[in-house]
Amino acid sequence: MKYSLLQYFALLLIILSIGCEDEKEDDSAGNLAESGTVYGTITFSGIWPDSGQVLLTLDTSFPPTGPPAKFEYVTSEGLADSKYDYSLDNLSFASYGAISVTYWPEDYPNGTYSMLGGNFQAMIVTQDESELEVNLSAIFQ
């Protein structure tokens, strides 16, 4: 009986030691991002319009050839000292061609929209560099 109890104890010890993972081996794989983020601050100048919409868009190419990869409406209520902090989260790892701030008047599509500002250079979001800060200026004229 003692011999069987020792065998079970040894087997239990082996199972427990095999089941424990070496955390140091998995640290590099466990810390990789699953999606990316483009974030920053938009500094507005000029007089905010009484009507219409202000839109922040992130596009995969410039000029845009389809719907944006991400967008966000910007309201005057969201400003603090003429600044708006934004964060476009859960992005695919890719190269983005433009991030822009536009004003769309109430009568669009019969009217035209206005470009207020943006960044029109390649922005690359990768698993290793998953967060990208892009600060913008937007001018109402």
Side-chain angles (χ1 to χ4, degrees):
M1 185 78 160
K2 279 186 170 183
Y3 185 67
S4 295
L5 189 57
L6 281 173
Q7 284 179 330
Y8 288 122
F9 181 70
L11 182 61
L12 180 63
L13 204 65
I14 291 170
I15 291 172
L16 287 175
S17 65
I18 291 173
C20 294
E21 294 181 26
D22 184 7
E23 290 181 21
K24 291 182 181 177
E25 273 185 38
D26 293 338
D27 271 354
S28 62
N31 290 332
L32 292 176
E34 293 181 16
S35 63
T37 300
V38 174
Y39 69 95
T41 300
I42 305 168
T43 303
F44 286 91
S45 59
I47 298 171
W48 196 278
D50 292 332
S51 63
Q53 306 256 334
V54 176
L55 191 64
L56 172 69
T57 56
L58 179 66
D59 293 291
T60 55
S61 62
F62 185 78
T65 56
K70 275 286 190 180
F71 72 93
E72 184 174 308
Y73 289 101
V74 180
T75 63
S76 60
E77 292 83 20
L79 300 180
D81 295 325
S82 298
K83 296 180 187 287
Y84 179 81
D85 294 326
Y86 73 91
S87 182
L88 303 173
D89 303 318
N90 297 319
L91 298 173
S92 298
F93 300 121
S95 178
Y96 296 94
I99 186 166
S100 59
V101 182
T102 53
Y103 167 65
W104 299 74
E106 288 285 327
D107 62 351
Y108 190 85
N110 296 325
T112 60
Y113 69 91
S114 302
M115 180 69 65
L116 303 178
N119 179 40
F120 307 102
Q121 300 174 8
M123 296 164 281
I124 301 171
V125 179
T126 65
Q127 195 168 31
D128 292 329
E129 295 183 30
S130 61
E131 295 186 355
L132 180 62
E133 182 176 8
V134 181
N135 296 313
L136 305 167
S137 294
I139 303 168
F140 290 105
Q141 294 182 0

